[in-house]
Amino acid sequence: MKRVLFALLGAISLSACAQGPQSGGDVAKAPGAQAASANKAAPIVTGRAPNAAANTPEARAIAAVRSLNPRVEIDKVRAAPIPGFREAIVQGQVVYVSDDGRYLFLPGPQGALYDTTTKTDLSEQSLAAIRKDLIKAIPVSERIVFAPPNPKYTVSIFTDVECGYCRKLHSEIAEYNRQGIAIQYMAFPRMGIGSEDHKKMISVWCAPDRKKALTDAKNDRPVPARDCKNTVSMQYDIGQRAGLTGTPMIIAEDGSTVGGYLPPQRLREALDKLAQGGEAAPAGATDPVAATGG
């Protein structure tokens, strides 16, 4: 799943690591951490945070951020313009934390509402359900499918014939299948409706052998220009409504995103983790869509 929240709070900040332990009240050990003892265990060090009286909304906001990443630096905590929330400046970003410390909201285009108690991205849960319903509108007969005989997993992928990461993924299609993963491609001409990219994808979807045409297009082999009744524009529209910002976009069967391009083994590991009830945090790469494309 694509999460600016994880990038901000889940990854260890370079500045905190570089500074290391500091003296005074700005840095303290995380709850339960002990100083290095006979076993040479290193202390857990937190980044800077403003002083806050115990059992106040400010203190709970700091604790909520610390629960996600104790090493980030919190520059300021104050009353938010939203009733019932505190506003915190964390690593140069604004986040809002509910006064009880349970919910953390990251605003912006890739915003998320996070339950710090259950460690759940509530926004992604809602979006996953919406994506699952949206892609149901694209019949399997309108997708280009590469599948092993008895797949363990099936993923739906919005793809483009021009993007580099889409081509890299497709060059390894046999290995994805060997990993037990069925690939169902959906069209997303990232240069937008009416572009040469769009026309080329229509030619692929109108070809008598779509799988061959798609493979040829992704390898810069000529694909005869064709036009027919097709769903390429409809698929593109659904991709936009699903929140696509780059291709490829890999969607698991539950509607959650599994990142952009991931090597076959890593995609299998991410799907295994999802199947076990975990979250497959995205680490894949994508090519951005054109500004005119959405």
Side-chain angles (χ1 to χ4, degrees):
M1 294 180 284
K2 186 182 294 183
R3 288 185 182 81
V4 175
L5 181 63
F6 284 167
L8 174 65
L9 300 175
I12 296 174
S13 74
L14 294 178
S15 60
C17 290
Q19 290 172 3
Q22 299 180 15
S23 61
D26 288 339
V27 177
K29 295 173 187 174
Q34 301 295 325
S37 60
N39 62 6
K40 305 298 183 182
I44 297 175
V45 184
T46 62
R48 292 179 303 211
N51 293 325
N55 201 29
T56 61
E58 288 76 15
R60 287 189 285 272
I62 292 170
V65 173
R66 290 276 184 263
S67 73
L68 300 178
N69 183 357
R71 298 192 183 188
V72 293
E73 295 186 359
I74 306 170
D75 295 311
K76 184 175 291 186
V77 178
R78 60 192 175 193
I82 309 170
F85 280 78
R86 300 293 104 177
E87 179 182 270
I89 309 300
V90 183
Q91 300 290 124
Q93 299 288 327
V94 176
V95 298
Y96 297 104
V97 184
S98 60
D99 285 347
D100 62 3
R102 176 161 186 174
Y103 299 104
L104 188 149
F105 173 64
L106 181 72
Q110 301 296 324
L113 179 63
Y114 199 76
D115 187 327
T116 64
T117 300
T118 62
K119 301 295 188 289
T120 303
D121 187 336
L122 302 176
S123 300
E124 175 59 25
Q125 284 188 342
S126 297
L127 287 171
I130 292 170
R131 286 191 208 101
K132 184 176 180 179
D133 287 340
L134 281 172
I135 65 175
K136 282 181 181 177
I138 304 173
V140 174
S141 61
E142 284 299 312
R143 307 180 192 190
I144 300 179
V145 179
F146 291 80
N150 297 293
K152 172 73 173 177
Y153 300 112
T154 298
V155 295
S156 303
I157 302 180
F158 282 102
T159 194
D160 174 70
V161 295
E162 299 290 349
C163 88
Y165 286 113
C166 300
R167 291 182 171 199
K168 182 167 180 58
L169 188 153
H170 191 66
S171 71
E172 299 172 296
I173 198 73
E175 183 58 30
Y176 288 103
N177 287 171
R178 279 192 287 271
Q179 290 288 337
I181 302 169
I183 304 290
Q184 296 187 352
Y185 282 125
M186 301 174 294
F188 194 91
R190 64 193 181 97
M191 299 308 293
I193 300 297
S195 66
E196 288 303 312
D197 188 24
H198 178 234
K199 294 174 184 176
K200 188 178 292 187
M201 295 198 78
I202 288 176
S203 295
V204 168
W205 254 257
C206 290
D209 186 341
R210 291 177 179 172
K211 292 171 69 173
K212 181 179 184 302
L214 182 67
T215 301
D216 286 345
K218 290 193 177 191
N219 284 281
D220 286 328
R221 292 193 288 266
V223 175
R226 292 184 173 89
D227 197 3
C228 65
K229 184 178 180 181
N230 66 84
T231 60
V232 169
S233 295
M234 181 267 280
Q235 294 182 44
Y236 174 83
D237 177 64
I238 288 175
Q240 288 187 308
R241 291 164 63 192
L244 187 151
T245 58
T247 51
M249 181 187 193
I250 304 175
I251 303 175
E253 291 175 86
D254 67 351
S256 59
T257 58
V258 196
Y261 165 77
L262 289 172
Q265 180 63 40
R266 284 187 60 197
L267 180 57
R268 174 60 191 259
E269 290 168 359
L271 294 171
D272 285 342
K273 187 175 180 181
L274 275 177
Q276 294 163 8
E279 294 182 343
T286 62
D287 287 290
V289 301
T292 55

